[in-house]
Amino acid sequence: MRHRSVADLMTPTVITVRRATAFKEIARLLKEFDITAMPVVDETRHPVGVVSEADLLRRRPAGGARTAEELMTSPAVTARPEWSVVRAARVMQRHQVKRLPVVDSDGRVVGILSRSDLIRLFLRHDHAIQEEILEDVLTRTLHLAPSAITVEVEDGMVTLSGTLPQPGVLPVIVRLCQSVDGVVDVDNRLTRTEAGAGAGAELN
């Protein structure tokens, strides 16, 4: 089971500016490319900060044009292409940023990841989520027969039903299903077989 990586979701074409880029040029680029922020890079495309619409509005000069270096938020918080999106989301939350320039092993900008990119995970098709749970979670990871558990997915909501002979595995199943990209929540309706009884008891 593999979480999507930053490389899977990032925008590879990045509009950047240099330290000396003027206020009006930054505003023009933001409007022209319909973006809300840009990395500020040095001569070797290493990010030194990020300049956003909020930076322009908050630090709008009273007269004359300031530069990206004066306007930017620095240092730049970055991500790597091989990171899982879960790790990237946690970094965004920890640093209270809305986007992460993505850098290669040499520290050069190769993409940008925004919160809107992460939201795309929750737009995964229900069928893709169902397949991942059946094939990766139940079969490959837990070595369970897919026929033992019914997995239904609607709008990212996973419903599990069926009978488990080993109730101890239930918390693991639920936790792994919750970790699948695109899952909103898990409705557990699994039951276990009571010893000496033909009926099942619901597992909570």
Side-chain angles (χ1 to χ4, degrees):
M1 192 171 70
R2 181 186 78 89
H3 280 295
R4 274 58 186 172
S5 69
V6 167
D8 293 330
L9 293 180
M10 73 180 189
T11 300
T13 303
V14 189
I15 307 302
T16 63
V17 293
R18 301 286 283 274
R19 287 186 174 99
T21 305
F23 183 101
K24 287 188 177 181
E25 176 64 7
I26 296 169
R28 185 190 70 78
L29 289 170
L30 292 174
K31 181 178 180 181
E32 179 181 345
F33 292 98
D34 192 26
I35 53 180
T36 59
M38 296 176 290
V40 182
V41 299
D42 63 15
E43 296 77 8
T44 56
R45 285 189 65 80
H46 288 81
V48 295
V50 174
V51 62
S52 68
E53 289 177 332
D55 292 325
L56 266 63
L57 293 172
R58 184 170 60 251
R59 302 169 187 174
R60 182 174 55 189
R66 290 185 175 179
T67 64
E69 186 170 22
E70 295 174 300
L71 294 163
M72 69 185 182
T73 299
S74 182
V77 181
T78 62
R80 294 287 297 274
E82 66 271 18
W83 283 10
S84 73
V85 293
V86 173
R87 180 176 179 180
R90 287 173 178 167
V91 169
M92 282 186 186
Q93 183 178 33
R94 183 164 63 249
H95 292 275
Q96 294 296 297
V97 295
K98 297 180 180 179
R99 63 199 60 79
L100 298 171
V102 183
V103 298
D104 62 15
S105 58
D106 294 321
R108 295 184 177 89
V109 173
V110 293
I112 192 161
L113 182 76
S114 69
R115 289 196 302 195
S116 61
D117 294 324
L118 297 180
I119 290 173
R120 283 163 47 197
L121 286 179
F122 294 99
L123 300 179
R124 288 186 75 195
H125 291 301
D126 290 339
H127 180 68
I129 296 172
Q130 182 186 44
E131 275 193 345
E132 183 168 342
I133 291 174
L134 288 171
E135 296 176 8
D136 291 352
V137 174
L138 300 182
T139 305
R140 293 194 185 97
T141 304
L142 298 176
H143 306 291
L144 295 173
S147 57
I149 298 176
T150 299
V151 179
E152 298 176 326
V153 185
E154 184 175 355
D155 294 332
M157 181 70 186
V158 176
T159 300
L160 303 174
S161 57
T163 303
L164 283 178
Q166 297 175 314
V169 77
L170 174 70
V172 178
I173 293 175
V174 173
R175 185 170 66 251
L176 289 177
C177 288
Q178 289 171 333
S179 71
V180 170
D181 292 334
V183 170
V184 176
D185 202 357
V186 176
D187 180 10
N188 166 37
R189 300 182 184 178
L190 292 168
T191 60
R192 61 182 171 83
T193 303
E194 295 283 5
E202 189 168 347
L203 293 167
N204 294 307

